[in-house]
Amino acid sequence: MSINRVIISGNLTRDPELRSTAGGTSVLGFGVAVNDRRKNQQTGEWEDYPNFIDCTMFGARADALNKYLSKGTKVTIEGKLRWSQWERDGQKRSKIEVIVDELEFMSSRNSDVQYSSGQSYGQQGGYQPAPQASYQPQPAPTIDASSSVYDEDIPF
């Protein structure tokens, strides 16, 4: 069994580029900078090292999000990794990119439309508030020492 799922959070490195396939499907391409923390061996200090991740989104969602994304927008992306290979000027090239399934805005944007943390755009189409988890501690169940779990029929 293999699982191809990735979640990243970071800032857009450039304005998104919207294009279309020959068949008319919209394709939105953008980059996200994701920091990795490493300890500098000379100074002993922790430092951020950016990773630049190419992301691609397809279809109506690509059209809809194009007008709300711009360089610097903080987002969380969920999707799958895709490796592609091509040849240019006689040299083989390859890259790994994230095919975006879900995108959540992590910062508000100063424009006519405000989308703040907690707004997400998923496969269902349209913007929806992200589910807010609320944890309510529950008392531990009391166990009657006179009964046993073996007294009950438990289906398997």
Side-chain angles (χ1 to χ4, degrees), residues 31 64 69 74 125:
L69 294 173
K74 186 164 185 63

Side-chain angles (χ1 to χ4, degrees), residues 12 14-21 24-32 53-70 75 77 82 95 97-101 103 105 121 127:
L12 266 64
R14 61 184 186 272
D15 287 337
E17 300 168 9
L18 184 64
R19 55 188 172 83
S20 296
T21 64
T25 301
S26 296
V27 180
L28 186 65
F30 53 93
V32 176
I53 311 297
D54 289 329
C55 299
T56 304
M57 180 180 278
F58 296 95
R61 294 178 304 136
D63 285 325
L65 283 175
N66 183 44
K67 54 188 156 196
Y68 301 110
L69 294 173
S70 61
V75 295
I77 303 284
R82 181 176 70 182
K95 73 174 182 175
E97 65 184 325
V98 175
I99 303 302
V100 178
D101 292 328
L103 183 143
F105 291 90
Y121 189 84
Y127 287 91

Side-chain angles (χ1 to χ4, degrees), residues 89-154:
D89 301 327
Q91 290 187 329
K92 287 189 176 183
R93 298 182 181 260
S94 65
K95 73 174 182 175
I96 294 179
E97 65 184 325
V98 175
I99 303 302
V100 178
D101 292 328
E102 303 284 335
L103 183 143
E104 183 174 342
F105 291 90
M106 300 304 290
S107 60
S108 60
R109 178 178 163 172
N110 293 330
S111 67
D112 294 339
V113 181
Q114 289 286 328
Y115 291 100
S116 61
S117 178
Q119 297 288 333
S120 65
Y121 189 84
Q123 290 182 335
Q124 292 81 19
Y127 287 91
Q128 305 132 359
Q132 299 295 319
S134 61
Y135 175 72
Q136 296 293 332
Q138 301 294 322
T142 57
I143 299 173
D144 182 4
S146 64
S147 68
S148 169
V149 294
Y150 300 110
D151 293 341
E152 300 175 21
D153 290 328
I154 300 174

